[in-house]
Amino acid sequence: MVVSPLIVGLLLAAALMHASWNALLKSDRSDRLATFGVIMTTGTAMGICAVPFLPMIEPAAWKFIALSVLIHLAYYTFLLKAYSYGDLSHTYPIARGLGPLLVAILSGQLVGEHLRTQDALGVLLLSCGLVALALPVRMAAPKPGGRYGLATTFAVLTGISIAGYIIADGLGVRAAGPTLGQKVGYIAWLCVLEGPWLLVLAIALRPAKVWTHLRGNWWRGVLGGAIASTGYGIAIYGLAAGPMAHVAALRETSVLFGTLIGTMLLGEPFGGRRVAAALVIVSGLVLMNGPALF
C-alpha cells in the first residue's frame, strides 16, 4: 500500500497550499469569519465555472457529496467553538493529529484498506509529531475560569469531523466514475454546494461590518479561496489514487509547512523540540511510503 511518488508530491503541494491559505486567514485581523466566507465562496465560483465543461458524475456519488457538505458544516461549527473556548495552541494540535489516526483505524473497517505494520507505525509517528510540532514553544497553563474541558471536547469533535469528511470524499470520488473528468466533476460539485454558507452567516450576523471589511480585504479571501480549493481538490484526487490513511497523513503535513512559514516569514521561534518533531514526521512518512521492512 505504497503511494506513488507523483501522488506523494501532489499531496505535499496540497499541504503547502493548506498552510498558505491558513496563513492568509490568520494574517487578517479585521474580520476572519467574513474572509473565511469569501475563501469558501471563491471555491463555489470556481466550481460553477468548471461544472458545465465536465462529465456528469455517477448517481451513487451524490449521497457522499451531501454527507461531505454536512460534515464540513459540522467541522466549521466545532472548529469555531473550539477556538472560542480555548487557545489555538491547545485545540489545533489535537484536531490535526487526531484526524489521520482515525482515518487509519476506520478505513480498514469501512473500505478494506488494511495497513501494513510499518504503515500503522508511520501514521502514529506522524500524528505524534504533528501534535508536538504544533504545540507552542512555551506551554501556558490553562487560564483561571477558562473552559479547558469544553475546548478539548470541541477539538476532539473537530478531529472526528476531519476524519469523517476525508472518508466521505474518498468514497465519493471513487463512486463518481472511472474517468478523470468525473473525478474532477465530483470536486467541482462539492465546491459548488459547500461554499457560500459561511459568507451568508457573516452577512446575517453583521452586514454593515462585513461589506466594509470586504471592500478593503476581498483580495485576501479570493486568493485564499483559489489556493484552498485547488489544494483540497488535489487531496480528493489523491483519495481516488491512494489509501485514505496515507492521503490523510500526507495532507496533515500542512502543520509542518505552517510552522516553517511562521518561522521564516513571521519571525516565530522554531526551537529544538520542533526540530525533533519534524524529524519524527519525516520518519513516519518514510515508513509509510517505503518498501516493506517487516
Side-chain angles (χ1 to χ4, degrees):
M1 295 178 68
V2 178
V3 181
S4 72
L6 174 61
I7 298 300
V8 171
L10 287 173
L11 288 170
L12 290 176
L16 177 58
M17 292 179 191
H18 187 274
S20 299
W21 77 257
N22 273 271
L24 278 169
L25 182 61
K26 183 179 179 182
S27 65
D28 182 358
R29 301 182 184 276
S30 175
D31 191 332
R32 286 178 182 157
L33 178 60
T35 296
F36 201 179
V38 176
I39 287 173
M40 301 309 299
T41 305
T42 299
T44 296
M46 293 172 65
I48 290 172
C49 291
V51 159
F53 304 99
L54 296 169
M56 183 55 65
I57 63 176
E58 298 291 338
W62 286 106
K63 62 178 178 288
F64 294 111
I65 288 182
L67 180 61
S68 179
V69 170
L70 291 175
I71 296 174
H72 271 92
L73 292 175
Y75 161 71
Y76 300 139
T77 302
F78 296 147
L79 185 65
L80 291 172
K81 284 286 189 181
Y83 289 168
S84 68
Y85 289 129
D87 294 333
L88 176 69
S89 60
H90 168 57
T91 56
Y92 188 79
I94 296 172
R96 306 317 299 192
L98 185 60
L101 277 178
L102 290 176
V103 172
I105 293 169
L106 295 174
S107 60
Q109 302 297 322
L110 295 175
V111 294
E113 292 181 353
H114 298 288
L115 301 180
R116 303 174 298 176
T117 301
Q118 72 186 65
D119 293 330
L121 180 59
V123 171
L124 181 61
L125 285 174
L126 188 138
S127 293
C128 292
L130 290 175
V131 172
L133 185 68
L135 289 172
V137 175
R138 290 184 178 86
M139 288 295 295
K143 297 176 182 178
R147 300 183 179 182
Y148 192 83
L150 281 173
T152 301
T153 298
F154 280 109
V156 169
L157 290 172
T158 301
I160 292 172
S161 63
I162 290 170
Y165 68 64
I166 288 174
I167 292 173
D169 286 331
L171 293 171
V173 74
R174 296 175 188 186
T179 69
L180 176 61
Q182 287 174 305
K183 297 185 188 308
V184 176
Y186 177 91
I187 297 166
W189 277 111
L190 180 63
C191 288
V192 169
L193 296 175
E194 183 194 347
W197 309 116
L198 283 179
L199 185 59
V200 170
L201 175 62
I203 293 173
L205 291 176
R206 43 183 184 272
K209 183 178 179 181
V210 167
W211 293 121
T212 301
H213 169 78
L214 292 180
R215 277 196 290 270
N217 293 275
W218 62 269
W219 61 271
R220 193 187 304 272
V222 171
L223 178 59
I227 296 171
S229 297
T230 303
Y232 192 57
I234 292 172
I236 295 177
Y237 175 72
L239 289 168
M244 292 184 189
H246 287 65
V247 173
L250 285 164
R251 184 171 180 264
E252 296 306 337
T253 57
S254 60
V255 175
L256 174 58
F257 288 116
T259 304
L260 292 173
I261 290 172
T263 300
M264 293 185 293
L265 299 181
L266 304 178
E268 298 174 355
F270 199 79
R273 190 222 338 130
R274 285 181 167 174
V275 171
L279 292 175
V280 170
I281 291 171
V282 172
S283 299
L285 291 175
V286 170
L287 274 177
M288 292 169 60
N289 296 286
L293 299 178
F294 41 80

